[in-house]
């Protein structure tokens, strides 16, 4: 009896292990087919969506060795370990700073020792992209420049925090051109004045690289009318470098001396069209809203969460900045008119040692824009130039001064205008964006409010500076990083759910030998892949109510709801 039981148990164990072996075999076969299917899906997506041809090797900031079959391995691994995508976040950032600190605090940093290449020039590539990586959060967009998209990086189950065409918004010359073309379409369609006024988000601008506009500009600044205007109203223009020059570098107020220099460089307009330049001359808003006698600007952070379709969010907390010198429209101090940390820094530096900073370098490259992200430690004097993270403060002041009556002015009037302007900025540039669900970008738009409470966008940056000057500021940025990651995850997880179903089905068809590998992606399946790749939130996936990003634009919605009803049907062309 006892022996029999043992025999019985042994046979049971034997049968159980056999079963296990069988299961193992199934999983093994299954895995191979999953790899085939995932390879085909990544290939299909690369053929139909963003996949740059040229791979530039000249500028590599990270020490990562591209692997040919990375996406197949990574996506397959995630397919069998769903929690990697559905419950966790695996990320990395090459740039030291607040964003990296935040990512390390809340998520898994899969390449904690990865650094900028230029600090490691002598070292060969030492890292491989880990299979678990879900949200690379790099500073530079190297993962699209040096890697084959859909093979070596940016796989089906990854989201990236960059959009290669972000410069359409952040290069001043391009933004200006996009704004002009956008308004031209409105004019051509006989849009009414209200539509055109609301679609105009930048102050009037002359592009000095455009011969006609350049000549118009020089005719004007050398006219009697202009002389009279500056006598009564102070400076009329601010001259900005196009391209990627931010934080006040490359910005000049057109004071008399600067006008002389510009006149000399362009021979009062004679050389328009032949002088190589990216400069633009923008109407200076000479009646800014003041705070304790200083000009202020505010910065609205916003993100593109996807470009397939366009989905954008704006952040509820807003950084208000104050200019360093008291405002006076006739002041000849740049720091009274331009409220920018770079200005502040160089001005402070100048006060210490008379170093001149080079404002006039037309060749500032794309990658230099935020070089000083690392030196964000500033002294308390500079810190007082940031007022608050909330526009509520501004509303309080305006209410107290009797300038506004509506106690919900911020929610009902200012923020809808802010959102509308960013929406117009997106609409005027979106034709340049690569259409893809894996791409996104983090921007900041700098706004100016005039004394009449008219609103203007001054410029738009990407990779906005994240200051670490005070505990509260660091916490605000930490929260913003968490909120950004939550949004990116929500869309990635939704996509993961949709593609799990497609993968399961295709693997089944392969296993039942219904289809040969090369015939697997039929036209009909192709349509299904397109639908599954189209970003939207699946039921069960939501963005938490304490996330401070508010939806700005979502092309999944219908008609004017795409724009939160902030644009009117008759203004859409
Ligand atoms: C992982 O996420 C899924 C989907 O959101 C959820 O149903 C599940 O409970 C989570 N698992 C764990 C261990 O948190
Ligand atoms: C930010 O400040 C904290 C506290 O002073 C410091 O521990 C941290 O390293 C700083 N982070 C960066 C990126 O400078
Ligand atoms: C233009 O903006 C104003 C103020 O924000 C708003 O009341 C109006 O409805 C807008 N008009 C159109 C056509 O968008
Ligand atoms: C800008 O680049 C051009 C050629 O690319 C060069 O000839 C010129 O000297 C450069 N200018 C400056 C200010 O570096």
């Amino acid at each position: 009896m006892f022996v029999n039981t043992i025999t019985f148990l042994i046979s049971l164990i034997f049968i159980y292990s056999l079963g296990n072996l069988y299961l193992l075999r199934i999983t093994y076969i299954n895995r191979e087919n999953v790899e085939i299917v995932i390879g085909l899906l990544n290939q299909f997506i690369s053929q139909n969506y963003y996949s740059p041809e040229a791979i530039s090797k000249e500028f590599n900031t990270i020490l990562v060795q591209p692997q040919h079959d990375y996406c197949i391995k990574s996506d397959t691994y995630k397919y069998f370990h769903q929690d990697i995508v559905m419950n966790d976040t695996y990320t990395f950032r090459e740039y030291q700073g607040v964003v990296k600190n935040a990512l390390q605090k809340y998520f898994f940093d899969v390449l904690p020792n990865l650094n900028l290449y230029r600090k490691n020039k002598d070292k060969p590539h030492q890292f491989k992209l880990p299979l678990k990586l879900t949200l690379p959060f790099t500073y530079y967009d190297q993962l699209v420049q040096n890697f084959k998209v859909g093979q070596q990086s940016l796989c089906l189950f990854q989201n990236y925090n960059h959009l290669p065409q972000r410069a359409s918004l952040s290069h001043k010359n391009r933004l200006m051109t996009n704004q002009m073309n956008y308004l031209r379409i409105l004019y051509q369609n006989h849009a009414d004045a209200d539509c055109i006024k609301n679609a105009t988000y930048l102050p009037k601008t002359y592009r000095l690289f455009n011969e006609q506009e350049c000549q118009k500009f020089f005719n004007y600044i050398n006219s009697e009318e202009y002389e009279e205007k500056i006598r009564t109203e102070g400076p009329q223009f601010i001259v900005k470098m196009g391209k990627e020059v931010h934080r006040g570098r490359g910005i000049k107020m057109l004071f008399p001396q600067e006008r002389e220099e510009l006149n000399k460089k362009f021979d009062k307009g004679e050389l328009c069209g032949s002088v190589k330049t990216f400069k633009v001359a923008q109407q200076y808003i000479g009646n800014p809203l003041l705070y304790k006698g200083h000009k202020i600007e505010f910065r609205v952070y916003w993100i593109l969460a996807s470009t397939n379709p366009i989905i954008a969010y704006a952040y509820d907390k807003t950084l208000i900045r104050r200019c360093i010198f008291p405002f006076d429209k006739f002041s000849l101090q740049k720091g009274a008119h331009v409220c920018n940390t770079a200005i502040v820094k160089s001005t402070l530096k100048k006060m210490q040692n008379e170093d001149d900073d080079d404002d006039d370098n037309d060749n500032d490259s794309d990658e230099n824009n935020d070089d000083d992200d690392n030196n964000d430690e500033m002294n308390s004097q500079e810190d007082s130039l940031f007022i608050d993270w909330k526009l509520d403060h501004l509303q309080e002041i305006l209410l107290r001064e009797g300038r506004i009556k509506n106690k919900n002015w911020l929610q009902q009037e200012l923020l809808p205008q802010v959102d509308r302007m960013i929406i117009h900025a997106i609409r005027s540039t979106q034709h340049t964006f690569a259409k893809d669900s894996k791409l996104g970008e983090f921007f900041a738009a700098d706004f100016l409010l005039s004394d009449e409470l008219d609103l203007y966008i001054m410029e738009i940056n990407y990779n906005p500076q994240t200051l670490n000057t005070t505990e509260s500021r660091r916490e605000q940025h930490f929260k913003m990083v968490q909120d950004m990651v939550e949004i990116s995850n929500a869309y990635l997880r939704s996509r993961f759910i949709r593609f799990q179903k497609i993968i399961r089905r295709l693997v089944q068809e392969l296993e039942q030998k219904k289809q040969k590998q090369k015939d697997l992606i039929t036209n009909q399946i192709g349509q299904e892949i397109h639908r599954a790749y189209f970003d939207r939130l699946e039921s069960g996936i939501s963005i938490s109510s304490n996330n401070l990003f508010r939806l700005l634009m979502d092309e999944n919605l219908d008609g004017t709801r795409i724009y939160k009803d902030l644009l009117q049907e008759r203004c859409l062309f």
Side-chain angles (χ1 to χ4, degrees), residues 358 360-363:
D358 178 18
D360 208 23
N361 185 358
D362 264 302
N363 293 359

mmCIF file of all heavy atoms in Angstrom, residues 358 360-363, ligand 4:
data_model
loop_
_atom_site.group_PDB
_atom_site.id
_atom_site.type_symbol
_atom_site.label_atom_id
_atom_site.label_comp_id
_atom_site.label_asym_id
_atom_site.label_seq_id
_atom_site.Cartn_x
_atom_site.Cartn_y
_atom_site.Cartn_z
ATOM 1 N N ASP A 358 28.960 87.211 -26.147
ATOM 2 C CA ASP A 358 28.863 87.285 -27.593
ATOM 3 C C ASP A 358 27.437 87.018 -28.033
ATOM 4 O O ASP A 358 27.001 85.890 -28.129
ATOM 5 C CB ASP A 358 29.822 86.252 -28.192
ATOM 6 C CG ASP A 358 29.725 86.243 -29.700
ATOM 7 O OD1 ASP A 358 29.205 87.225 -30.259
ATOM 8 O OD2 ASP A 358 30.176 85.246 -30.296
ATOM 9 N N ASP A 360 26.235 87.888 -30.920
ATOM 10 C CA ASP A 360 26.043 88.043 -32.346
ATOM 11 C C ASP A 360 26.584 86.870 -33.149
ATOM 12 O O ASP A 360 27.068 87.046 -34.240
ATOM 13 C CB ASP A 360 26.703 89.353 -32.799
ATOM 14 C CG ASP A 360 25.991 89.893 -34.030
ATOM 15 O OD1 ASP A 360 24.817 89.531 -34.231
ATOM 16 O OD2 ASP A 360 26.622 90.635 -34.789
ATOM 17 N N ASN A 361 26.491 85.696 -32.617
ATOM 18 C CA ASN A 361 26.996 84.551 -33.344
ATOM 19 C C ASN A 361 25.856 83.849 -34.056
ATOM 20 O O ASN A 361 25.055 83.161 -33.468
ATOM 21 C CB ASN A 361 27.679 83.595 -32.362
ATOM 22 C CG ASN A 361 28.336 82.453 -33.085
ATOM 23 O OD1 ASN A 361 28.248 82.364 -34.305
ATOM 24 N ND2 ASN A 361 28.971 81.590 -32.324
ATOM 25 N N ASP A 362 25.816 84.033 -35.364
ATOM 26 C CA ASP A 362 24.751 83.447 -36.158
ATOM 27 C C ASP A 362 24.833 81.933 -36.225
ATOM 28 O O ASP A 362 23.960 81.286 -36.752
ATOM 29 C CB ASP A 362 24.810 83.992 -37.595
ATOM 30 C CG ASP A 362 23.858 85.166 -37.749
ATOM 31 O OD1 ASP A 362 22.677 84.967 -37.511
ATOM 32 O OD2 ASP A 362 24.312 86.252 -38.107
ATOM 33 N N ASN A 363 25.913 81.371 -35.759
ATOM 34 C CA ASN A 363 26.147 79.947 -35.990
ATOM 35 C C ASN A 363 25.847 79.063 -34.795
ATOM 36 O O ASN A 363 26.205 77.904 -34.807
ATOM 37 C CB ASN A 363 27.620 79.713 -36.375
ATOM 38 C CG ASN A 363 27.922 80.332 -37.719
ATOM 39 O OD1 ASN A 363 27.055 80.894 -38.343
ATOM 40 N ND2 ASN A 363 29.155 80.216 -38.151
HETATM 41 C C1 LIG B 4 29.426 80.924 -39.490
HETATM 42 O O1 LIG B 4 29.631 79.833 -40.350
HETATM 43 C C2 LIG B 4 30.158 80.195 -41.613
HETATM 44 C C3 LIG B 4 30.262 78.955 -42.473
HETATM 45 O O2 LIG B 4 29.480 77.926 -41.983
HETATM 46 C C4 LIG B 4 31.543 80.850 -41.431
HETATM 47 O O3 LIG B 4 32.042 81.258 -42.691
HETATM 48 C C5 LIG B 4 31.381 82.057 -40.531
HETATM 49 O O4 LIG B 4 32.649 82.617 -40.252
HETATM 50 C C6 LIG B 4 30.724 81.663 -39.216
HETATM 51 N N1 LIG B 4 30.440 82.845 -38.427
HETATM 52 C C7 LIG B 4 30.706 82.925 -37.130
HETATM 53 C C8 LIG B 4 30.317 84.218 -36.483
HETATM 54 O O5 LIG B 4 31.170 82.005 -36.490
#
